[in-house]
């Protein structure tokens, strides 16, 4: 249509954060997946970083929520409103048609997949496609997914952990568990409540994880002060916790992730397993930034593990590259075709 332009967007619709990549401009948006709503009228008051600042601090008339849970849509209307805001904020022109490629967990149901596509279309996308997150993460991490060789990716996000073996632009073997960053934060909060009778919020637990969290013993252990409400007196209080405390707190979640990696390797075809031993395992997602998690997985599997250059951006970079790459490498077309049977 005259006066209109096409713009290709790649979206990593994450449980914790949403990232948007625009062709020719790179990553243009990186904001929390949070929406603040007036509970009386249903009006959206804030989206993204502004809404996140309201978490746990709102009056009864305002609700700050995360509309995605475990990598899938938990609140359809608010997800649609959030996508509309992010797509509009990322657009470089006033009158434009949007082609959108959006990453989804590999373990979603057909209903959940269609819900993402429909929400994206209702949010303003002219054409919407989905791609499985481990495939997008592998492309974004620079793995040779189209070649006849085995590549293994471990993507630890906010709501799900995706472990996949990829060859010839297809996922040969994949496992998805709904244990990731959110569950680790929750485990930290629960541990501090049990061990210190201190109630802390999810943001405080996440901050403690970022500051001193580790999956493997450190050469020099660290400490950090967390503050919350004393469960006995009801008054504000702070306690000093150590990185050793946090390892104990998240041990169960780490074991689940390691076990998923092992199970994926155990069912890998022998030739691809040989490739993985030689090439190693690549880690992506925010969970890959947890200190020592690469070393933990390497020790448990006996395979070299490396963290991607920019693990937080791998999925969105992969979604952004797909539309561009399929024109030059036709074999990659099935990455979208298989994932968007609509």
């Amino acid at each position: 249509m005259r006066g209109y332009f096409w713009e290709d967007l790649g979206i990593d619709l994450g449980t914790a954060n949403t990232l948007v990549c625009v062709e020719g401009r790179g990553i243009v948006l990186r904001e929390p997946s949070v929406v603040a709503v007036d509970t009386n009228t249903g009006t959206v008051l804030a989206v993204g970083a502004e809404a996140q600042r309201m978490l746990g601090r709102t009056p009864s008339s305002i609700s700050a929520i995360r509309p995605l849970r475990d990598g899938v849509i938990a609140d359809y209307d608010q997800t649609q409103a959030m996508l509309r805001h992010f797509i509009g904020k990322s657009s470089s022109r006033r009158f434009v048609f949007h082609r959108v490629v959006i990453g989804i967990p590999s373990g979603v149901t057909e209903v959940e997949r269609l819900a993402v596509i429909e929400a994206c279309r209702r949010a303003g996308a002219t054409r919407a496609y989905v791609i499985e997150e481990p495939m997008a993460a592998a492309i974004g991490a620079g793995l040779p997914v189209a070649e006849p060789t085995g590549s293994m990716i471990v993507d630890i996000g906010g709501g799900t952990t995706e472990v996949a073996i990829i060859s010839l632009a297809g996922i040969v073997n994949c496992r998805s568990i709904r244990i990731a960053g959110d569950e680790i934060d929750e485990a930290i909060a629960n541990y501090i409540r049990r061990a210190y009778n201190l109630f802390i919020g999810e943001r405080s637990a996440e901050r403690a994880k970022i500051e001193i969290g580790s999956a493997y013993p450190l050469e020099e252990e660290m400490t950090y002060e967390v503050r919350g409400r004393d469960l006995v007196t009801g008054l504000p209080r702070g306690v000093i916790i150590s990185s050793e405390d946090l390892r104990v707190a998240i041990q169960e979640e780490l074991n689940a992730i390691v076990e998923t990696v092992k199970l994926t390797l155990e069912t890998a075809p022998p030739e691809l397993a040989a490739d993985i031993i030689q090439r190693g395992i690549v880690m992506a997602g925010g969970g890959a930034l947890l200190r020592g998690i690469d070393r933990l997985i390497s020790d448990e599997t006996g395979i070299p593990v490396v963290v991607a250059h920019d693990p937080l951006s791998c999925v969105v970079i992969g979604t952004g590259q797909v539309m561009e790459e399929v024109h030059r490498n036709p074999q990659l077309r099935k990455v979208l075709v298989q994932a968007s049977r609509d």
Side-chain angles (χ1 to χ4, degrees), residues 7-287:
E7 194 167 57
D8 293 338
L9 277 66
I11 300 178
D12 175 10
L13 186 62
T15 303
N17 297 287
T18 295
L19 290 80
V20 180
C21 178
V22 179
E23 184 179 7
R25 294 167 56 204
I27 299 173
V28 298
L29 184 141
R30 187 192 302 260
E31 293 200 26
S33 302
V34 183
V35 179
V37 183
D38 187 316
T39 55
N40 296 321
T41 64
T43 305
V44 174
L45 302 177
V47 178
E50 185 181 353
Q52 187 186 44
R53 289 194 289 270
M54 300 181 183
L55 279 174
R57 298 187 173 95
T58 58
S60 59
S61 61
I62 299 175
S63 176
I65 61 172
R66 295 169 65 177
L68 292 111
R69 192 69 186 171
D70 296 332
V72 297
I73 294 175
D75 188 318
Y76 181 85
D77 291 336
Q78 302 313 326
T79 300
Q80 180 183 317
M82 183 177 71
L83 278 171
R84 182 181 293 110
H85 174 83
F86 288 153
I87 290 174
K89 191 173 181 179
S90 303
S91 182
S92 61
R93 297 183 176 94
R94 184 177 178 184
F95 301 108
V96 63
F97 291 127
H98 293 108
R99 281 184 295 241
V100 174
V101 179
I102 191 164
I104 60 171
S106 59
V108 301
T109 65
E110 186 74 3
V111 172
E112 290 168 337
R113 183 187 69 82
L114 291 174
V116 171
I117 293 175
E118 186 63 21
C120 203
R121 286 176 174 165
R122 288 182 177 271
T126 308
R127 295 179 185 171
Y129 306 91
V130 292
I131 180 173
E132 292 175 319
E133 284 181 356
M135 176 64 77
I139 294 171
L143 295 178
V145 298
E147 296 180 8
T149 184
S151 299
M152 186 167 182
I153 187 85
V154 178
D155 178 20
I156 306 175
T160 60
T161 294
E162 313 271 340
V163 184
I165 296 173
I166 298 168
S167 179
L168 289 172
I171 295 178
V172 177
N173 193 9
C174 182
R175 289 181 182 269
S176 176
I177 58 170
R178 296 188 176 185
I179 296 176
D182 286 351
E183 285 69 28
I184 289 174
D185 295 342
E186 186 178 343
I188 291 171
N190 290 338
Y191 175 84
I192 291 173
R193 184 167 62 247
R194 293 193 309 268
Y196 297 99
N197 284 324
L198 187 71
F199 181 77
I200 65 172
E202 62 180 52
R203 292 191 67 187
S204 297
E206 182 184 24
R207 175 53 56 187
K209 176 184 69 177
I210 292 170
E211 293 293 335
I212 64 169
S214 70
Y216 200 87
L218 303 174
E219 292 184 5
E220 185 175 343
E221 301 293 348
M222 299 179 291
T223 59
Y224 178 74
E225 182 182 15
V226 292
R227 298 170 184 173
R229 188 179 76 241
D230 192 301
L231 291 172
V232 177
T233 66
L235 298 175
R237 180 167 66 92
V239 297
I240 302 295
I241 60 173
S242 70
S243 48
E244 293 174 283
D245 286 328
L246 293 199
R247 278 199 302 278
V248 172
I250 65 177
Q251 193 61 53
E252 186 175 339
E253 287 68 27
L254 292 176
N255 289 341
I257 292 172
V258 169
E259 188 62 25
T260 303
V261 174
K262 287 182 175 180
L263 289 172
T264 307
L265 285 167
E266 287 173 4
T267 54
E271 295 298 328
L272 295 184
D275 292 338
I276 294 166
I277 291 172
Q278 182 179 1
R279 301 175 63 89
I281 299 170
V282 176
M283 295 194 66

